[in-house]
């Protein structure tokens, strides 16, 4: 029961006590009339004290709530515990003298007096608090919007960089094919000469040309991987196997001062990916981690199963809901500063000294993973370390056929090749490679020319070797039309860049053979033997 008081609030001491409270205070008598208020209440409601005392308290209640208010009062009087008013109800409000209202927080307590129950209400105007909260919400959702926009922007930027890089890489590939193959013609000629001093020098020079061309070809291939234009041969794989097979190589790559720790998840879902490419992802990430730990540290490789639900995927344009297998690579290295982390997937972005990093490592990782339908996340804490997570969709497909057998080497035995290539220099270099290795070669600069040669009906060819991207008639159509004229013909496509021209998503269909540009003589010969060993 509330305490008993003999006199209530009529004396100066009580008035001073009320005035000392930080909130507006209202004392309401048992009959609902206002018995006393403090000066904060005068200010808050805009009434002078004399005008308010003696009035029913409903005068301070917004009109809409006035009718029900006496009932609430009666309910409180029946159980007068100190408590916030209207707990669980919607926002309370007070009404000022001018009729305007304000959101309020009201706490109630009661004193039992000779003249009945006296209810004391402390009223606080929460306009500012609500405004601050709304502002906070607004800022939060704005930040969330900004974050999503930045992510979208980032993937659009990478997309357009990819298109540019892919285009440049395509042209470079053809040029490199010409450079490196002519270089190897020269070295073959030189090798036939007796080992005299001046030839030694030429040999050394040509070796440099071949090496530079090889480096350029490696760069081009990284760019094509970033641009998602490499032809891939996806197989059903378990990331645990990829990690296990590469572990020894990684230990050697990392050096003694970096400890390698691996955690492989049990029952890991299998993914559909190109094994060579995944190995490249792992090596690139490990090398970056090593470089970030010059004083040593720990590199942790972890595989895991992940379920991405619709709510999580909704915010992320690059992610579909479903099951994913993950590969997480964490280091205890330098970390990446905030301002740089948005740029690390861009091709040629590097913080390494000239000549040490090309800035293509993470760009390649990005291209490979997105081409496989997955996504890469990066998290870094400057001074603490960096974690990269690769998510790849889990496939329900069973394991595919075993790897293709090693093709036999060696040249041709007079088989007839119809070679179609629009780039004159590349056509000539390829013709020469085939010719000097025992093939009879017919050449065509376009698909139409090739069809004309076949339509003459005079020749039977063993294999059609055609470029994929050509003006007017693409390689695929050329192959279809040549097959129409000679159904048993075997086909080998040459390309460094397919962009869905052979099949959707640059994925090689079973039964289609392809050699990647630029190719060496030995690679071409090996591939041809492989194709010729099949029945057309
Ligand atoms: N694990 C990491 N820790 C700290 N910084 C990193 C890490 N991984 C990448 N970076 C930063 O991102 C940049 C880009 O990485 P990326 O692998 O694309 O290129 P690179 O390593 O500089 O050169 P490349 O891989 O072509 O030899 C690096 O230069 C480095 O600044
Ligand atoms: Mg790197």
């Amino acid at each position: 029961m509330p305490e008993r008081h003999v006199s209530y609030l009529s004396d100066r001491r009580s008035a001073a006590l009320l005035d000392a409270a930080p909130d507006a205070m209202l004392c309401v008598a048992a009959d609902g009339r206002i018995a006393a208020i403090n000066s904060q209440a005068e200010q808050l409601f805009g009434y002078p004290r004399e005008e308010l005392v003696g009035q029913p308290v409903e005068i301070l209640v917004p009109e809409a709530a006035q009718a029900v208010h006496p009932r609430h009062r009666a309910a409180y009087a029946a159980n007068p515990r100190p408590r916030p008013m209207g707990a669980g109800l919607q926002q309370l409000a007070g009404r000022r003298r001018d009729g305007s209202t304000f959101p309020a927080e009201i706490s109630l307590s009661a004193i039992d007096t000779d003249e009945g129950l006296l209810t004391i209400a402390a009223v606080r105007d929460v306009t500012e608090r609500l405004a601050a909260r709304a502002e906070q919400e607004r800022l939060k959702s704005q930040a969330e919007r900004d974050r999503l926009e930045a992510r979208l922007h980032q993937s659009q930027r990478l997309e357009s960089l990819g298109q540019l890089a892919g285009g440049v890489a395509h042209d470079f590939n053809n040029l490199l094919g010409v450079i490196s193959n002519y270089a190897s013609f020269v070295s073959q000629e030189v090798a036939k000469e007796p080992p005299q001093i001046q030839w030694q020098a030429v040999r050394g020079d040509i070796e440099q040309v071949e090496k530079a061309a090889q480096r350029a070809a490696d760069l081009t291939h990284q760019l094509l991987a970033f641009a998602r234009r490499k032809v891939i041969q996806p197989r059903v794989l378990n990331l645990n196997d990829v990690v296990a097979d590469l572990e020894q190589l990684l230990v050697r790559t990392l050096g003694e001062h970096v400890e390698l720790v691996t955690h492989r998840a049990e029952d890991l879902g299998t993914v559909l990916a190109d094994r060579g490419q995944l190995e490249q992802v792992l090596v690139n990430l490990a090398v970056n981690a090593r470089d970030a730990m010059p004083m040593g540290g720990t590199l942790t490789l972890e595989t895991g199963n992940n379920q991405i639900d619709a709510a999580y995927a909704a915010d992320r344009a690059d992610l579909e809901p479903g099951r994913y297998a993950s590969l997480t690579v964490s280091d205890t290295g330098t970390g990446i500063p905030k301002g740089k982390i948005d740029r690390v997937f861009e091709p040629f972005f590097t913080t390494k000294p000239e000549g040490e990093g090309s800035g293509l490592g993470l760009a390649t990782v990005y291209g490979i993973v997105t081409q496989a339908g997955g996504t890469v996340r990066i998290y870094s804490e400057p001074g603490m370390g960096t974690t990269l997570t690769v998510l790849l969709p889990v496939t329900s497909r069973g394991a595919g056929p075993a790897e293709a057998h090693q093709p036999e080497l060696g040249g041709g035995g007079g088989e007839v090749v119809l070679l179609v290539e629009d780039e004159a220099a590349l056509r000539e270099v390829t013709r020469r490679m085939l010719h000097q290795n025992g093939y009879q070669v017919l050449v065509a600069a376009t698909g139409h020319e090739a069809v004309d040669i076949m339509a003459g009906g005079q020749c039977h060819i063993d294999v059609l070797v055609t470029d994929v991207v050509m003006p007017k008639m693409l390689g695929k159509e050329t192959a279809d039309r040549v097959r129409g004229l000679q159904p048993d013909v075997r086909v080998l496509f040459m390309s460094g860049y397919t962009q869905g021209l052979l099949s959707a998503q640059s994925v090689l269909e079973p039964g289609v053979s392809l050699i990647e540009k630029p190719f060496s003589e030995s690679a071409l010969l090996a591939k041809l033997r492989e194709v010729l060993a099949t029945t057309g």
Side-chain angles (χ1 to χ4, degrees):
M1 276 305 282
E3 272 180 65
R4 288 190 80 78
H5 280 250
V6 186
S7 79
Y8 62 90
L9 308 167
S10 49
D11 59 313
R12 278 178 53 205
R13 212 165 58 198
S14 305
L17 269 175
L18 279 184
D19 276 344
D23 291 326
M25 308 290 284
L26 306 167
C27 302
V28 181
D31 64 356
R33 289 181 186 283
I34 296 167
I37 67 169
N38 65 0
S39 40
Q40 285 83 329
E42 285 183 293
Q43 268 170 27
L44 180 58
F45 289 95
Y47 286 97
R49 196 173 306 224
E50 313 77 68
E51 202 173 312
L52 216 46
V53 171
Q55 293 285 345
V57 70
E58 276 72 33
I59 194 174
L60 302 178
V61 174
E63 266 165 48
Q66 271 172 3
V68 293
H69 194 259
R71 259 213 317 280
H72 289 311
R73 237 175 341 100
Y76 181 72
N79 181 21
R81 291 174 292 107
R83 61 175 172 86
M85 177 175 160
L89 297 179
Q90 63 209 129
Q91 181 64 55
L92 296 172
R95 179 174 188 268
R96 301 193 190 89
R97 188 164 187 257
D98 63 8
S100 63
T101 61
F102 59 90
E105 195 175 82
I106 303 172
S107 325
L108 300 175
S109 57
I111 325 173
D112 209 6
T113 70
D114 290 345
E115 284 138 67
L117 194 73
L118 183 73
T119 306
I120 301 170
V123 183
R124 186 174 291 174
D125 179 353
V126 292
T127 307
E128 273 171 29
R129 195 204 298 163
L130 292 184
R133 197 181 300 158
E135 175 66 5
Q136 221 173 28
E137 290 295 318
R138 195 185 63 76
L139 288 175
K140 227 165 74 188
S141 58
Q142 179 69 42
E144 179 67 10
R145 266 204 306 278
D146 288 352
R147 207 172 51 74
L148 289 179
E149 206 165 285
R151 182 170 289 162
L152 185 67
H153 191 160
Q154 157 104 337
S155 57
Q156 281 167 346
R157 198 174 58 206
L158 289 174
E159 192 61 37
S160 51
L161 280 171
Q163 294 201 348
L164 178 70
V168 173
H170 170 234
D171 289 352
F172 264 80
N173 243 353
N174 284 345
L175 293 173
L176 287 168
V178 176
I179 294 170
S180 57
N181 285 305
Y182 274 103
S184 81
F185 291 157
V186 174
S187 71
Q188 283 165 17
E189 286 305 315
V190 168
K192 292 180 196 155
E193 299 296 322
Q196 286 161 2
I197 301 302
Q198 62 267 48
W199 289 122
Q200 285 289 11
V202 175
R203 235 173 246 142
D205 290 354
I206 209 70
E207 226 168 72
Q208 292 303 323
V209 174
E210 285 177 321
K211 258 200 214 146
Q214 186 55 47
R215 272 216 308 281
D218 290 346
L219 281 178
T220 318
H221 279 234
Q222 291 183 62
L223 277 180
L224 286 170
F226 166 63
R228 281 176 274 155
R229 289 187 186 161
K230 273 189 73 115
V231 181
I232 52 169
Q233 302 201 313
R235 289 180 205 287
V236 175
L237 290 176
N238 187 319
L239 288 177
N240 282 341
D241 297 340
V242 179
V243 171
D245 287 354
L246 230 54
E247 208 163 331
Q248 281 317 306
L249 172 80
L250 292 179
V251 167
R252 262 178 281 133
T253 311
L254 292 171
E256 278 170 7
H257 60 302
V258 174
E259 190 196 355
L260 177 66
V261 177
T262 53
H263 298 295
R264 281 178 244 147
E266 283 175 25
D267 301 324
L268 188 65
T270 49
V271 300
L272 201 55
D274 185 301
R275 186 174 194 113
Q277 286 205 317
L278 277 192
E279 290 175 353
Q280 202 183 339
V281 165
L282 198 50
V283 169
N284 286 2
L285 296 180
V287 167
N288 279 350
R290 178 201 64 194
D291 293 348
M293 299 185 285
M295 312 298 284
T298 307
L299 172 68
T300 310
L301 293 181
E302 198 172 348
T303 56
N305 284 305
N306 301 262
Q307 184 71 41
I308 303 290
D309 61 21
Y312 187 85
D315 278 0
R316 293 161 178 82
D318 55 342
L319 212 52
E320 296 283 325
R323 280 184 65 206
Y324 286 79
S326 61
L327 173 68
T328 305
V329 180
S330 329
D331 63 57
T332 54
T334 54
I336 304 170
K338 276 259 167 310
K340 297 213 166 110
I341 199 154
D342 287 345
R343 300 198 52 202
V344 292
F345 292 112
E346 282 175 22
F348 305 114
F349 176 80
T350 179
T351 57
K352 293 176 186 168
E354 182 91 36
E356 276 181 33
S358 61
L360 285 171
L362 288 180
T364 309
V365 167
Y366 178 86
I368 290 174
V369 174
T370 49
Q371 190 174 11
T375 175
V376 203
R377 299 260 172 272
I378 184 163
Y379 176 77
S380 188
E381 197 70 64
M384 303 291 288
T386 303
T387 298
L388 276 118
T389 305
V390 171
L391 285 171
L392 291 170
V394 166
T395 178
S396 53
R397 261 201 235 175
E403 306 260 331
H405 64 95
Q406 209 55 32
E408 53 179 302
L409 293 176
E415 291 95 338
V416 182
V417 177
L418 174 54
L419 171 68
V420 194
E421 165 65 64
D422 60 316
E423 279 257 345
L426 200 59
R427 187 168 63 240
E428 175 51 21
V429 81
T430 312
R431 186 200 64 76
R432 208 161 131 176
M433 287 194 283
L434 294 170
H435 176 75
Q436 67 189 21
N437 283 287
Y439 288 98
Q440 297 181 53
V441 192
L442 302 167
V443 289
T446 65
H448 289 289
E449 260 185 60
V451 173
D452 285 350
I453 291 175
M454 294 302 294
Q458 244 112 85
C459 58
H460 179 278
I461 60 166
D462 294 292
V463 57
L464 171 73
V465 176
T466 176
D467 189 16
V468 173
V469 188
M470 294 183 292
K472 301 207 183 92
M473 195 190 291
L474 293 171
K476 191 168 187 307
E477 191 189 343
T478 306
D480 290 345
R481 293 182 53 176
V482 168
R483 258 196 216 105
L485 292 162
Q486 188 197 309
D488 66 350
V489 71
R490 301 162 183 99
V491 180
L492 172 61
F493 289 105
M494 303 177 286
S495 182
Y497 164 99
T498 66
Q499 212 187 1
L501 292 170
L502 280 180
S503 59
Q505 270 105 41
S506 309
V507 171
L508 213 52
E509 280 165 3
V512 173
S513 298
L514 185 130
I515 184 160
E516 251 184 273
K517 288 179 183 177
F519 44 79
S520 65
E521 186 170 311
S522 59
L524 176 65
L525 295 178
K527 198 77 195 179
L528 259 185
R529 294 274 22 124
E530 190 186 313
V531 174
L532 284 167
T534 63
T535 41

